[in-house]
């Protein structure tokens, strides 16, 4: 029986569900919050260009002139989600991965996946499901990507 992880992600959070067989149903196994994703542009633009306000050490928490604070926050969050997926694939905690996420988040996660994790991708779908309650998520996922 294959174990599939289904990632539902948005700039403010990612929920990782596990599916073990057709009749098992989705089980929420991890939630990763990104409170910086909720900040308004005016709140993220308050610091000097090149710093997020958390560190003044060179090379830490900075972003380039081309990357604003929102993009920096999104990149860090996508990296965090990808790290969870990379570690789980390395530990063989799942056999397949499906990702449903808003476009920027999906692209960010995919770009940070290691080759062995990327090879486990069954489906990716660019859609925002994070405002859907857990009780309804299985129906929406089934309609979008199918369940095994």
């Amino acid at each position: 029986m294959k174990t599939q992880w289904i990632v539902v992600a948005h700039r403010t959070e990612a929920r990782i569900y596990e599916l073990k067989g057709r009749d098992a149903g989705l089980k929420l196994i991890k939630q990763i919050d990104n409170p910086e994703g909720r900040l308004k542009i005016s709140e993220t633009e308050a610091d000097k260009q090149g710093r997020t306000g958390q560190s003044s050490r060179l090379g830490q928490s900075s972003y380039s002139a081309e990357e604003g604070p929102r993009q920096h926050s999104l990149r860090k969050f996508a990296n965090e989600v990808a790290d969870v997926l990379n570690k789980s694939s390395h530990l063989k905690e799942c056999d397949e991965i499906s990702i449903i996420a808003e476009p920027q988040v999906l692209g960010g996660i995919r770009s940070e996946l290691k080759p062995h994790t990327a090879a486990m991708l069954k489906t990716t779908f660019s859609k925002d499901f994070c405002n859907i309650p857990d009780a309804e998520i299985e129906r929406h996922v089934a309609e979008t990507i199918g369940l095994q």
Side-chain angles (χ1 to χ4, degrees):
M1 173 183 342
K2 288 187 176 183
T3 299
Q4 182 178 2
W5 278 17
I6 299 167
V7 180
V8 177
H10 176 77
R11 63 182 157 77
T12 61
E13 72 174 355
R15 292 178 278 174
I16 301 174
Y17 298 90
E18 183 176 70
L19 178 67
K20 289 186 175 186
R22 289 180 190 256
D23 301 325
L26 293 179
K27 176 184 170 190
L28 180 65
I29 57 170
K30 186 161 186 74
Q31 182 164 335
I32 304 167
D33 290 320
N34 182 28
E36 291 178 12
R38 290 182 178 83
L39 297 176
K40 297 176 184 173
I41 292 175
S42 61
E43 294 171 315
T44 61
E45 299 289 335
D47 294 328
K48 291 180 184 177
Q49 182 70 21
R51 298 280 174 219
T52 62
Q54 296 176 355
S55 175
S56 60
R57 287 185 260 163
L58 186 61
Q60 291 189 359
S61 298
S62 16
Y63 47 86
S64 69
E66 298 84 34
E67 179 184 64
R70 286 192 126 199
Q71 291 83 9
H72 177 74
S73 170
L74 185 63
R75 184 174 47 83
K76 281 183 10 185
F77 177 62
N79 191 2
E80 183 179 354
V81 174
D83 280 348
V84 170
L85 298 175
N86 288 328
K87 288 175 186 171
S88 73
S89 70
H90 180 72
L91 296 172
K92 300 187 187 323
E93 294 176 328
C94 64
D95 302 301
E96 298 175 333
I97 299 170
S98 293
I99 304 173
I100 302 170
E102 65 179 350
Q104 286 185 311
V105 176
L106 177 59
I109 293 170
R110 287 190 72 162
S111 71
E112 296 296 328
L113 294 177
K114 304 279 187 209
H116 65 275
T117 307
M120 296 172 66
L121 283 178
K122 178 181 178 186
T123 311
T124 60
F125 197 79
S126 180
K127 194 161 187 171
D128 185 358
F129 277 5
C130 275
N131 292 322
I132 298 173
D134 280 339
E136 298 174 27
I137 198 76
E138 190 165 351
R139 179 176 59 85
H140 288 277
V141 168
E143 291 171 358
T144 303
I145 63 171
L147 294 178
Q148 285 198 348

